[in-house]
Amino acid sequence: MGVFPRPSFDVPLPTGGTLHLGDRTLIMAVLNVTPDSFADGGLHADPVRAVDDALAMEGAGADIIDIGGESTRPGAVPVSAEEELARVIPVLRGLAGRLRVPISIDTYKAAVAASALDLGAAIVNDISAFTYDPALPGVVARTRAVVSLMHTRGQARTMYRDAHYDDVVREVCAELGERLQHAGEAGIPLSHVLIDPGIGFAKRAEHSSTLLARLEALHALGRPLLVGPSRKSFLQRATGEQAPAARDWGTAAAVTAAVLAGVHVVRVHAVPEMVDVVRVADMLRRDAFVDQGSTEARAT
């Protein structure tokens, strides 16, 4: 696996300012305010603690805080929009005026996204790439929000039934291309869209590791890349069985691979540790391009 040029993008935020993607890899910190998160077992379910943890994540170097009120792990049972809102709204209100970095709302529901954006969120992180709720593209278009479209197939409870690929990289690229077209047709400027290959979603372990090893292929879609390998079960293909919280060393290797492949944003749980991982990987990126007698910016 080599070191691949990373295109630069300036993504306007609806809350003001710009998300600069390309100079360095950004850290999206996971803040699951659910009682059944696969990765932390509900550690942030209390709103007061969740607010404190979000501020600590920012202090540790997170560039984006991704707040989620519904577990979307494989096999998870969906919750209503009302329940999801009851979980995320107190946290969003508690963070109002206190957080300097952008907030992302991890939801596929239009009602939850609309309320979160009204309360200061700037990014919608949609695991379904607009396939679960037909009203969500309208909310994103109306609010001029940034959106991350993640590849998946099927619903959480049944996604492994659809994990059949002849060429996982080619098929994921093609299906994400279709979702980008759908976003454009819904009136969403493509300058506001990130894409995510969906590591672990409707993919068996070998599919996820193949995608991670060949992430550079997704640059052909012309949008910034967000990747979330953190604590995912596919890591056990190499490490053997481990509890999610014990997978941070494997996550570090996966994050390094993503950075060297030119990913713009990595979504992680262990923020202080992964900040160091990303800084070292970004240093290697810079040095690789200097050794070639060219800066990364010139390469793009």
Side-chain angles (χ1 to χ4, degrees), residues 28 66 125-127 129 147-152 172 176 180 193-201 203 211 215 218 221 223-229 232 263 265-267:
M28 174 183 273
D66 189 38
N125 185 11
D126 176 18
I127 65 160
V147 64
S148 176
L149 302 180
M150 192 195 80
H151 177 273
T152 193
V172 167
L176 281 173
L180 284 170
V193 182
L194 286 68
I195 55 173
D196 179 345
I199 300 293
F201 282 79
K203 296 167 188 74
L211 274 169
L215 283 172
L218 275 76
L221 292 171
R223 299 309 312 143
L225 305 184
L226 185 156
V227 173
K232 297 282 179 70
V263 162
V265 184
V266 289
R267 184 177 182 272

PDB file of all heavy atoms in Angstrom, residues 28 66 125-127 129 147-152 172 176 180 193-201 203 211 215 218 221 223-229 232 263 265-267:
ATOM      1  N   MET A  28     -12.990  13.091  13.606  1.00  0.00           N
ATOM      2  CA  MET A  28     -14.395  13.139  14.003  1.00  0.00           C
ATOM      3  C   MET A  28     -14.548  12.240  15.225  1.00  0.00           C
ATOM      4  O   MET A  28     -14.313  11.035  15.157  1.00  0.00           O
ATOM      5  CB  MET A  28     -15.312  12.669  12.870  1.00  0.00           C
ATOM      6  CG  MET A  28     -16.778  12.566  13.275  1.00  0.00           C
ATOM      7  SD  MET A  28     -17.866  11.930  11.957  1.00  0.00           S
ATOM      8  CE  MET A  28     -18.262  13.471  11.104  1.00  0.00           C
ATOM      9  N   ASP A  66     -19.366  14.046  16.657  1.00  0.00           N
ATOM     10  CA  ASP A  66     -20.464  13.346  15.983  1.00  0.00           C
ATOM     11  C   ASP A  66     -21.378  12.735  17.040  1.00  0.00           C
ATOM     12  O   ASP A  66     -21.018  11.759  17.701  1.00  0.00           O
ATOM     13  CB  ASP A  66     -19.889  12.257  15.072  1.00  0.00           C
ATOM     14  CG  ASP A  66     -20.936  11.627  14.167  1.00  0.00           C
ATOM     15  OD1 ASP A  66     -21.818  12.363  13.674  1.00  0.00           O
ATOM     16  OD2 ASP A  66     -20.860  10.400  13.943  1.00  0.00           O
ATOM     17  N   ASN A 125     -24.629  13.110   9.419  1.00  0.00           N
ATOM     18  CA  ASN A 125     -23.886  11.889   9.118  1.00  0.00           C
ATOM     19  C   ASN A 125     -24.918  10.774   8.921  1.00  0.00           C
ATOM     20  O   ASN A 125     -25.423  10.192   9.885  1.00  0.00           O
ATOM     21  CB  ASN A 125     -22.929  11.563  10.267  1.00  0.00           C
ATOM     22  CG  ASN A 125     -22.044  10.377   9.968  1.00  0.00           C
ATOM     23  OD1 ASN A 125     -21.983   9.894   8.842  1.00  0.00           O
ATOM     24  ND2 ASN A 125     -21.353   9.896  10.989  1.00  0.00           N
ATOM     25  N   ASP A 126     -25.242  10.498   7.657  1.00  0.00           N
ATOM     26  CA  ASP A 126     -26.332   9.575   7.326  1.00  0.00           C
ATOM     27  C   ASP A 126     -25.779   8.226   6.903  1.00  0.00           C
ATOM     28  O   ASP A 126     -25.222   8.083   5.810  1.00  0.00           O
ATOM     29  CB  ASP A 126     -27.189  10.178   6.208  1.00  0.00           C
ATOM     30  CG  ASP A 126     -28.288   9.238   5.737  1.00  0.00           C
ATOM     31  OD1 ASP A 126     -28.618   8.276   6.468  1.00  0.00           O
ATOM     32  OD2 ASP A 126     -28.809   9.446   4.632  1.00  0.00           O
ATOM     33  N   ILE A 127     -25.956   7.213   7.758  1.00  0.00           N
ATOM     34  CA  ILE A 127     -25.434   5.886   7.441  1.00  0.00           C
ATOM     35  C   ILE A 127     -26.134   5.244   6.249  1.00  0.00           C
ATOM     36  O   ILE A 127     -25.636   4.264   5.700  1.00  0.00           O
ATOM     37  CB  ILE A 127     -25.538   4.930   8.639  1.00  0.00           C
ATOM     38  CG1 ILE A 127     -27.011   4.664   8.990  1.00  0.00           C
ATOM     39  CG2 ILE A 127     -24.755   5.454   9.830  1.00  0.00           C
ATOM     40  CD1 ILE A 127     -27.225   3.410   9.798  1.00  0.00           C
ATOM     41  N   ALA A 129     -27.104   6.927   3.361  1.00  0.00           N
ATOM     42  CA  ALA A 129     -26.924   7.665   2.101  1.00  0.00           C
ATOM     43  C   ALA A 129     -28.266   7.982   1.448  1.00  0.00           C
ATOM     44  O   ALA A 129     -28.459   7.795   0.247  1.00  0.00           O
ATOM     45  CB  ALA A 129     -26.014   6.905   1.139  1.00  0.00           C
ATOM     46  N   VAL A 147     -23.336  17.070   4.481  1.00  0.00           N
ATOM     47  CA  VAL A 147     -23.841  15.717   4.694  1.00  0.00           C
ATOM     48  C   VAL A 147     -22.768  14.704   4.323  1.00  0.00           C
ATOM     49  O   VAL A 147     -22.036  14.889   3.349  1.00  0.00           O
ATOM     50  CB  VAL A 147     -25.140  15.458   3.900  1.00  0.00           C
ATOM     51  CG1 VAL A 147     -24.906  15.532   2.394  1.00  0.00           C
ATOM     52  CG2 VAL A 147     -25.776  14.125   4.287  1.00  0.00           C
ATOM     53  N   SER A 148     -22.663  13.674   5.126  1.00  0.00           N
ATOM     54  CA  SER A 148     -21.812  12.530   4.799  1.00  0.00           C
ATOM     55  C   SER A 148     -22.710  11.366   4.418  1.00  0.00           C
ATOM     56  O   SER A 148     -23.586  10.966   5.207  1.00  0.00           O
ATOM     57  CB  SER A 148     -20.930  12.144   5.992  1.00  0.00           C
ATOM     58  OG  SER A 148     -20.182  10.976   5.680  1.00  0.00           O
ATOM     59  N   LEU A 149     -22.516  10.851   3.223  1.00  0.00           N
ATOM     60  CA  LEU A 149     -23.320   9.746   2.708  1.00  0.00           C
ATOM     61  C   LEU A 149     -22.507   8.457   2.820  1.00  0.00           C
ATOM     62  O   LEU A 149     -21.458   8.319   2.198  1.00  0.00           O
ATOM     63  CB  LEU A 149     -23.704   9.995   1.249  1.00  0.00           C
ATOM     64  CG  LEU A 149     -24.492  11.278   0.977  1.00  0.00           C
ATOM     65  CD1 LEU A 149     -24.793  11.400  -0.511  1.00  0.00           C
ATOM     66  CD2 LEU A 149     -25.796  11.299   1.787  1.00  0.00           C
ATOM     67  N   MET A 150     -23.002   7.522   3.630  1.00  0.00           N
ATOM     68  CA  MET A 150     -22.274   6.276   3.866  1.00  0.00           C
ATOM     69  C   MET A 150     -22.904   5.126   3.092  1.00  0.00           C
ATOM     70  O   MET A 150     -24.125   4.999   3.016  1.00  0.00           O
ATOM     71  CB  MET A 150     -22.281   5.934   5.359  1.00  0.00           C
ATOM     72  CG  MET A 150     -21.309   4.835   5.726  1.00  0.00           C
ATOM     73  SD  MET A 150     -21.621   4.153   7.378  1.00  0.00           S
ATOM     74  CE  MET A 150     -22.987   3.047   7.004  1.00  0.00           C
ATOM     75  N   HIS A 151     -22.053   4.278   2.546  1.00  0.00           N
ATOM     76  CA  HIS A 151     -22.540   3.113   1.817  1.00  0.00           C
ATOM     77  C   HIS A 151     -23.025   2.032   2.781  1.00  0.00           C
ATOM     78  O   HIS A 151     -22.364   1.698   3.763  1.00  0.00           O
ATOM     79  CB  HIS A 151     -21.432   2.517   0.948  1.00  0.00           C
ATOM     80  CG  HIS A 151     -21.864   1.273   0.225  1.00  0.00           C
ATOM     81  ND1 HIS A 151     -21.778   0.015   0.789  1.00  0.00           N
ATOM     82  CD2 HIS A 151     -22.430   1.100  -1.000  1.00  0.00           C
ATOM     83  CE1 HIS A 151     -22.253  -0.878  -0.058  1.00  0.00           C
ATOM     84  NE2 HIS A 151     -22.654  -0.245  -1.151  1.00  0.00           N
ATOM     85  N   THR A 152     -24.189   1.502   2.512  1.00  0.00           N
ATOM     86  CA  THR A 152     -24.685   0.315   3.185  1.00  0.00           C
ATOM     87  C   THR A 152     -25.695  -0.353   2.270  1.00  0.00           C
ATOM     88  O   THR A 152     -26.033   0.180   1.198  1.00  0.00           O
ATOM     89  CB  THR A 152     -25.310   0.645   4.561  1.00  0.00           C
ATOM     90  OG1 THR A 152     -25.506  -0.571   5.297  1.00  0.00           O
ATOM     91  CG2 THR A 152     -26.635   1.372   4.425  1.00  0.00           C
ATOM     92  N   VAL A 172     -19.028  -0.692  -4.366  1.00  0.00           N
ATOM     93  CA  VAL A 172     -19.232   0.406  -3.416  1.00  0.00           C
ATOM     94  C   VAL A 172     -19.068   1.746  -4.122  1.00  0.00           C
ATOM     95  O   VAL A 172     -19.863   2.681  -3.911  1.00  0.00           O
ATOM     96  CB  VAL A 172     -18.272   0.273  -2.218  1.00  0.00           C
ATOM     97  CG1 VAL A 172     -18.239   1.561  -1.396  1.00  0.00           C
ATOM     98  CG2 VAL A 172     -18.694  -0.905  -1.340  1.00  0.00           C
ATOM     99  N   LEU A 176     -22.142   4.410  -4.367  1.00  0.00           N
ATOM    100  CA  LEU A 176     -21.987   5.758  -3.830  1.00  0.00           C
ATOM    101  C   LEU A 176     -22.140   6.805  -4.938  1.00  0.00           C
ATOM    102  O   LEU A 176     -22.685   7.896  -4.697  1.00  0.00           O
ATOM    103  CB  LEU A 176     -20.629   5.905  -3.147  1.00  0.00           C
ATOM    104  CG  LEU A 176     -20.519   5.324  -1.745  1.00  0.00           C
ATOM    105  CD1 LEU A 176     -19.074   5.389  -1.255  1.00  0.00           C
ATOM    106  CD2 LEU A 176     -21.439   6.048  -0.771  1.00  0.00           C
ATOM    107  N   LEU A 180     -24.629  10.021  -4.859  1.00  0.00           N
ATOM    108  CA  LEU A 180     -24.228  11.393  -5.153  1.00  0.00           C
ATOM    109  C   LEU A 180     -25.147  12.009  -6.202  1.00  0.00           C
ATOM    110  O   LEU A 180     -25.540  13.183  -6.101  1.00  0.00           O
ATOM    111  CB  LEU A 180     -22.779  11.429  -5.643  1.00  0.00           C
ATOM    112  CG  LEU A 180     -21.687  11.260  -4.589  1.00  0.00           C
ATOM    113  CD1 LEU A 180     -20.335  11.065  -5.263  1.00  0.00           C
ATOM    114  CD2 LEU A 180     -21.650  12.470  -3.659  1.00  0.00           C
ATOM    115  N   VAL A 193     -21.067  17.695   0.168  1.00  0.00           N
ATOM    116  CA  VAL A 193     -21.213  16.254   0.383  1.00  0.00           C
ATOM    117  C   VAL A 193     -19.867  15.581   0.596  1.00  0.00           C
ATOM    118  O   VAL A 193     -18.917  15.782  -0.169  1.00  0.00           O
ATOM    119  CB  VAL A 193     -21.933  15.598  -0.811  1.00  0.00           C
ATOM    120  CG1 VAL A 193     -22.135  14.101  -0.563  1.00  0.00           C
ATOM    121  CG2 VAL A 193     -23.288  16.272  -1.067  1.00  0.00           C
ATOM    122  N   LEU A 194     -19.786  14.748   1.656  1.00  0.00           N
ATOM    123  CA  LEU A 194     -18.682  13.827   1.883  1.00  0.00           C
ATOM    124  C   LEU A 194     -19.197  12.413   1.623  1.00  0.00           C
ATOM    125  O   LEU A 194     -20.415  12.172   1.673  1.00  0.00           O
ATOM    126  CB  LEU A 194     -18.166  13.909   3.318  1.00  0.00           C
ATOM    127  CG  LEU A 194     -17.325  15.126   3.743  1.00  0.00           C
ATOM    128  CD1 LEU A 194     -18.156  16.400   3.767  1.00  0.00           C
ATOM    129  CD2 LEU A 194     -16.717  14.883   5.120  1.00  0.00           C
ATOM    130  N   ILE A 195     -18.282  11.481   1.371  1.00  0.00           N
ATOM    131  CA  ILE A 195     -18.688  10.098   1.168  1.00  0.00           C
ATOM    132  C   ILE A 195     -17.904   9.177   2.099  1.00  0.00           C
ATOM    133  O   ILE A 195     -16.762   9.467   2.464  1.00  0.00           O
ATOM    134  CB  ILE A 195     -18.522   9.633  -0.292  1.00  0.00           C
ATOM    135  CG1 ILE A 195     -17.090   9.847  -0.786  1.00  0.00           C
ATOM    136  CG2 ILE A 195     -19.525  10.334  -1.192  1.00  0.00           C
ATOM    137  CD1 ILE A 195     -16.822   9.256  -2.158  1.00  0.00           C
ATOM    138  N   ASP A 196     -18.551   8.070   2.463  1.00  0.00           N
ATOM    139  CA  ASP A 196     -18.008   7.124   3.433  1.00  0.00           C
ATOM    140  C   ASP A 196     -18.255   5.711   2.900  1.00  0.00           C
ATOM    141  O   ASP A 196     -19.408   5.376   2.594  1.00  0.00           O
ATOM    142  CB  ASP A 196     -18.720   7.340   4.770  1.00  0.00           C
ATOM    143  CG  ASP A 196     -18.275   6.406   5.882  1.00  0.00           C
ATOM    144  OD1 ASP A 196     -17.627   5.386   5.596  1.00  0.00           O
ATOM    145  OD2 ASP A 196     -18.622   6.698   7.047  1.00  0.00           O
ATOM    146  N   PRO A 197     -17.226   4.879   2.766  1.00  0.00           N
ATOM    147  CA  PRO A 197     -17.433   3.539   2.210  1.00  0.00           C
ATOM    148  C   PRO A 197     -18.189   2.585   3.122  1.00  0.00           C
ATOM    149  O   PRO A 197     -18.560   1.491   2.701  1.00  0.00           O
ATOM    150  CB  PRO A 197     -16.011   3.037   1.954  1.00  0.00           C
ATOM    151  CG  PRO A 197     -15.174   3.773   2.930  1.00  0.00           C
ATOM    152  CD  PRO A 197     -15.799   5.138   3.052  1.00  0.00           C
ATOM    153  N   GLY A 198     -18.411   2.972   4.375  1.00  0.00           N
ATOM    154  CA  GLY A 198     -19.233   2.146   5.253  1.00  0.00           C
ATOM    155  C   GLY A 198     -18.547   0.880   5.741  1.00  0.00           C
ATOM    156  O   GLY A 198     -19.108  -0.218   5.644  1.00  0.00           O
ATOM    157  N   ILE A 199     -17.361   1.038   6.307  1.00  0.00           N
ATOM    158  CA  ILE A 199     -16.646  -0.113   6.866  1.00  0.00           C
ATOM    159  C   ILE A 199     -17.549  -0.812   7.885  1.00  0.00           C
ATOM    160  O   ILE A 199     -18.070  -0.185   8.806  1.00  0.00           O
ATOM    161  CB  ILE A 199     -15.334   0.333   7.543  1.00  0.00           C
ATOM    162  CG1 ILE A 199     -14.407   1.030   6.534  1.00  0.00           C
ATOM    163  CG2 ILE A 199     -14.653  -0.830   8.227  1.00  0.00           C
ATOM    164  CD1 ILE A 199     -13.876   0.134   5.462  1.00  0.00           C
ATOM    165  N   GLY A 200     -17.745  -2.115   7.706  1.00  0.00           N
ATOM    166  CA  GLY A 200     -18.535  -2.892   8.660  1.00  0.00           C
ATOM    167  C   GLY A 200     -20.029  -2.896   8.425  1.00  0.00           C
ATOM    168  O   GLY A 200     -20.754  -3.630   9.100  1.00  0.00           O
ATOM    169  N   PHE A 201     -20.513  -2.118   7.482  1.00  0.00           N
ATOM    170  CA  PHE A 201     -21.953  -2.050   7.215  1.00  0.00           C
ATOM    171  C   PHE A 201     -22.273  -2.823   5.941  1.00  0.00           C
ATOM    172  O   PHE A 201     -21.808  -2.472   4.863  1.00  0.00           O
ATOM    173  CB  PHE A 201     -22.410  -0.599   7.077  1.00  0.00           C
ATOM    174  CG  PHE A 201     -22.554   0.108   8.390  1.00  0.00           C
ATOM    175  CD1 PHE A 201     -21.441   0.603   9.054  1.00  0.00           C
ATOM    176  CD2 PHE A 201     -23.800   0.269   8.976  1.00  0.00           C
ATOM    177  CE1 PHE A 201     -21.557   1.239  10.271  1.00  0.00           C
ATOM    178  CE2 PHE A 201     -23.933   0.920  10.196  1.00  0.00           C
ATOM    179  CZ  PHE A 201     -22.814   1.401  10.852  1.00  0.00           C
ATOM    180  N   LYS A 203     -21.145  -5.529   5.111  1.00  0.00           N
ATOM    181  CA  LYS A 203     -19.864  -6.030   4.609  1.00  0.00           C
ATOM    182  C   LYS A 203     -19.310  -7.039   5.604  1.00  0.00           C
ATOM    183  O   LYS A 203     -19.307  -6.781   6.811  1.00  0.00           O
ATOM    184  CB  LYS A 203     -18.868  -4.878   4.417  1.00  0.00           C
ATOM    185  CG  LYS A 203     -19.320  -3.882   3.361  1.00  0.00           C
ATOM    186  CD  LYS A 203     -18.531  -2.618   3.398  1.00  0.00           C
ATOM    187  CE  LYS A 203     -19.158  -1.595   2.461  1.00  0.00           C
ATOM    188  NZ  LYS A 203     -20.419  -1.027   3.020  1.00  0.00           N
ATOM    189  N   LEU A 211     -11.698  -2.966   1.282  1.00  0.00           N
ATOM    190  CA  LEU A 211     -12.003  -1.547   1.070  1.00  0.00           C
ATOM    191  C   LEU A 211     -10.951  -0.658   1.722  1.00  0.00           C
ATOM    192  O   LEU A 211     -10.485   0.323   1.123  1.00  0.00           O
ATOM    193  CB  LEU A 211     -13.379  -1.214   1.647  1.00  0.00           C
ATOM    194  CG  LEU A 211     -14.575  -1.443   0.747  1.00  0.00           C
ATOM    195  CD1 LEU A 211     -15.864  -1.324   1.550  1.00  0.00           C
ATOM    196  CD2 LEU A 211     -14.591  -0.444  -0.407  1.00  0.00           C
ATOM    197  N   LEU A 215      -8.701   2.162  -0.467  1.00  0.00           N
ATOM    198  CA  LEU A 215      -9.500   3.378  -0.326  1.00  0.00           C
ATOM    199  C   LEU A 215      -9.209   4.403  -1.407  1.00  0.00           C
ATOM    200  O   LEU A 215     -10.080   5.207  -1.767  1.00  0.00           O
ATOM    201  CB  LEU A 215      -9.246   4.015   1.049  1.00  0.00           C
ATOM    202  CG  LEU A 215      -9.932   3.375   2.249  1.00  0.00           C
ATOM    203  CD1 LEU A 215      -9.405   3.998   3.529  1.00  0.00           C
ATOM    204  CD2 LEU A 215     -11.446   3.544   2.165  1.00  0.00           C
ATOM    205  N   LEU A 218     -11.671   5.401  -4.176  1.00  0.00           N
ATOM    206  CA  LEU A 218     -12.842   6.255  -3.966  1.00  0.00           C
ATOM    207  C   LEU A 218     -12.582   7.709  -4.336  1.00  0.00           C
ATOM    208  O   LEU A 218     -13.527   8.487  -4.487  1.00  0.00           O
ATOM    209  CB  LEU A 218     -13.332   6.157  -2.521  1.00  0.00           C
ATOM    210  CG  LEU A 218     -14.272   4.984  -2.239  1.00  0.00           C
ATOM    211  CD1 LEU A 218     -13.503   3.675  -2.159  1.00  0.00           C
ATOM    212  CD2 LEU A 218     -15.065   5.201  -0.961  1.00  0.00           C
ATOM    213  N   LEU A 221     -14.474   9.472  -7.220  1.00  0.00           N
ATOM    214  CA  LEU A 221     -15.814  10.063  -7.094  1.00  0.00           C
ATOM    215  C   LEU A 221     -15.763  11.574  -6.889  1.00  0.00           C
ATOM    216  O   LEU A 221     -16.785  12.249  -6.955  1.00  0.00           O
ATOM    217  CB  LEU A 221     -16.575   9.393  -5.946  1.00  0.00           C
ATOM    218  CG  LEU A 221     -16.935   7.921  -6.192  1.00  0.00           C
ATOM    219  CD1 LEU A 221     -17.489   7.287  -4.915  1.00  0.00           C
ATOM    220  CD2 LEU A 221     -17.942   7.786  -7.326  1.00  0.00           C
ATOM    221  N   ARG A 223     -15.163  13.512  -4.244  1.00  0.00           N
ATOM    222  CA  ARG A 223     -15.646  14.121  -3.010  1.00  0.00           C
ATOM    223  C   ARG A 223     -14.724  13.743  -1.845  1.00  0.00           C
ATOM    224  O   ARG A 223     -14.027  12.729  -1.904  1.00  0.00           O
ATOM    225  CB  ARG A 223     -17.085  13.654  -2.683  1.00  0.00           C
ATOM    226  CG  ARG A 223     -18.128  14.007  -3.719  1.00  0.00           C
ATOM    227  CD  ARG A 223     -18.130  15.474  -4.122  1.00  0.00           C
ATOM    228  NE  ARG A 223     -18.114  16.394  -2.982  1.00  0.00           N
ATOM    229  CZ  ARG A 223     -17.447  17.543  -2.980  1.00  0.00           C
ATOM    230  NH1 ARG A 223     -16.731  17.921  -4.028  1.00  0.00           N
ATOM    231  NH2 ARG A 223     -17.488  18.322  -1.914  1.00  0.00           N
ATOM    232  N   PRO A 224     -14.731  14.537  -0.773  1.00  0.00           N
ATOM    233  CA  PRO A 224     -13.911  14.195   0.396  1.00  0.00           C
ATOM    234  C   PRO A 224     -14.341  12.856   0.992  1.00  0.00           C
ATOM    235  O   PRO A 224     -15.522  12.499   0.970  1.00  0.00           O
ATOM    236  CB  PRO A 224     -14.192  15.339   1.376  1.00  0.00           C
ATOM    237  CG  PRO A 224     -14.777  16.445   0.563  1.00  0.00           C
ATOM    238  CD  PRO A 224     -15.473  15.800  -0.585  1.00  0.00           C
ATOM    239  N   LEU A 225     -13.364  12.153   1.564  1.00  0.00           N
ATOM    240  CA  LEU A 225     -13.620  10.822   2.109  1.00  0.00           C
ATOM    241  C   LEU A 225     -13.617  10.845   3.631  1.00  0.00           C
ATOM    242  O   LEU A 225     -12.698  11.378   4.260  1.00  0.00           O
ATOM    243  CB  LEU A 225     -12.550   9.841   1.630  1.00  0.00           C
ATOM    244  CG  LEU A 225     -12.326   9.712   0.124  1.00  0.00           C
ATOM    245  CD1 LEU A 225     -11.295   8.628  -0.158  1.00  0.00           C
ATOM    246  CD2 LEU A 225     -13.630   9.406  -0.587  1.00  0.00           C
ATOM    247  N   LEU A 226     -14.637  10.230   4.205  1.00  0.00           N
ATOM    248  CA  LEU A 226     -14.735  10.003   5.643  1.00  0.00           C
ATOM    249  C   LEU A 226     -14.729   8.494   5.856  1.00  0.00           C
ATOM    250  O   LEU A 226     -15.453   7.765   5.160  1.00  0.00           O
ATOM    251  CB  LEU A 226     -16.024  10.625   6.190  1.00  0.00           C
ATOM    252  CG  LEU A 226     -16.254  10.606   7.700  1.00  0.00           C
ATOM    253  CD1 LEU A 226     -17.219  11.744   8.081  1.00  0.00           C
ATOM    254  CD2 LEU A 226     -16.827   9.285   8.210  1.00  0.00           C
ATOM    255  N   VAL A 227     -13.935   8.025   6.805  1.00  0.00           N
ATOM    256  CA  VAL A 227     -13.849   6.587   7.064  1.00  0.00           C
ATOM    257  C   VAL A 227     -13.927   6.338   8.562  1.00  0.00           C
ATOM    258  O   VAL A 227     -13.289   7.045   9.350  1.00  0.00           O
ATOM    259  CB  VAL A 227     -12.560   5.982   6.483  1.00  0.00           C
ATOM    260  CG1 VAL A 227     -12.400   4.522   6.905  1.00  0.00           C
ATOM    261  CG2 VAL A 227     -12.572   6.070   4.969  1.00  0.00           C
ATOM    262  N   GLY A 228     -14.691   5.310   8.950  1.00  0.00           N
ATOM    263  CA  GLY A 228     -14.861   4.973  10.360  1.00  0.00           C
ATOM    264  C   GLY A 228     -14.518   3.531  10.666  1.00  0.00           C
ATOM    265  O   GLY A 228     -15.415   2.700  10.791  1.00  0.00           O
ATOM    266  N   PRO A 229     -13.226   3.206  10.828  1.00  0.00           N
ATOM    267  CA  PRO A 229     -12.859   1.827  11.164  1.00  0.00           C
ATOM    268  C   PRO A 229     -12.829   1.545  12.659  1.00  0.00           C
ATOM    269  O   PRO A 229     -12.595   0.417  13.068  1.00  0.00           O
ATOM    270  CB  PRO A 229     -11.449   1.720  10.584  1.00  0.00           C
ATOM    271  CG  PRO A 229     -10.879   3.098  10.777  1.00  0.00           C
ATOM    272  CD  PRO A 229     -12.041   4.049  10.583  1.00  0.00           C
ATOM    273  N   LYS A 232     -14.212  -1.573  15.027  1.00  0.00           N
ATOM    274  CA  LYS A 232     -15.124  -2.431  14.271  1.00  0.00           C
ATOM    275  C   LYS A 232     -14.681  -3.895  14.348  1.00  0.00           C
ATOM    276  O   LYS A 232     -13.500  -4.213  14.501  1.00  0.00           O
ATOM    277  CB  LYS A 232     -15.181  -1.977  12.806  1.00  0.00           C
ATOM    278  CG  LYS A 232     -15.731  -0.566  12.594  1.00  0.00           C
ATOM    279  CD  LYS A 232     -17.244  -0.527  12.699  1.00  0.00           C
ATOM    280  CE  LYS A 232     -17.807   0.887  12.502  1.00  0.00           C
ATOM    281  NZ  LYS A 232     -17.678   1.365  11.120  1.00  0.00           N
ATOM    282  N   VAL A 263      -7.489   9.784   2.963  1.00  0.00           N
ATOM    283  CA  VAL A 263      -8.790  10.089   3.563  1.00  0.00           C
ATOM    284  C   VAL A 263      -8.733  11.458   4.234  1.00  0.00           C
ATOM    285  O   VAL A 263      -7.701  11.871   4.762  1.00  0.00           O
ATOM    286  CB  VAL A 263      -9.157   8.973   4.573  1.00  0.00           C
ATOM    287  CG1 VAL A 263     -10.236   9.424   5.539  1.00  0.00           C
ATOM    288  CG2 VAL A 263      -9.594   7.731   3.817  1.00  0.00           C
ATOM    289  N   VAL A 265     -11.212  12.627   6.648  1.00  0.00           N
ATOM    290  CA  VAL A 265     -11.750  12.612   8.013  1.00  0.00           C
ATOM    291  C   VAL A 265     -11.773  11.168   8.504  1.00  0.00           C
ATOM    292  O   VAL A 265     -12.221  10.273   7.775  1.00  0.00           O
ATOM    293  CB  VAL A 265     -13.183  13.182   8.081  1.00  0.00           C
ATOM    294  CG1 VAL A 265     -13.678  13.241   9.525  1.00  0.00           C
ATOM    295  CG2 VAL A 265     -13.263  14.564   7.440  1.00  0.00           C
ATOM    296  N   VAL A 266     -11.300  10.933   9.731  1.00  0.00           N
ATOM    297  CA  VAL A 266     -11.436   9.619  10.348  1.00  0.00           C
ATOM    298  C   VAL A 266     -12.329   9.751  11.575  1.00  0.00           C
ATOM    299  O   VAL A 266     -12.185  10.682  12.373  1.00  0.00           O
ATOM    300  CB  VAL A 266     -10.079   8.997  10.729  1.00  0.00           C
ATOM    301  CG1 VAL A 266      -9.313   8.582   9.482  1.00  0.00           C
ATOM    302  CG2 VAL A 266      -9.241   9.929  11.595  1.00  0.00           C
ATOM    303  N   ARG A 267     -13.246   8.807  11.694  1.00  0.00           N
ATOM    304  CA  ARG A 267     -14.220   8.813  12.800  1.00  0.00           C
ATOM    305  C   ARG A 267     -13.743   7.808  13.845  1.00  0.00           C
ATOM    306  O   ARG A 267     -13.613   6.622  13.554  1.00  0.00           O
ATOM    307  CB  ARG A 267     -15.605   8.438  12.259  1.00  0.00           C
ATOM    308  CG  ARG A 267     -16.740   8.498  13.267  1.00  0.00           C
ATOM    309  CD  ARG A 267     -18.058   8.172  12.575  1.00  0.00           C
ATOM    310  NE  ARG A 267     -19.190   8.264  13.480  1.00  0.00           N
ATOM    311  CZ  ARG A 267     -19.628   7.249  14.239  1.00  0.00           C
ATOM    312  NH1 ARG A 267     -19.010   6.076  14.189  1.00  0.00           N
ATOM    313  NH2 ARG A 267     -20.671   7.418  15.034  1.00  0.00           N
TER     314      ARG A 267
END
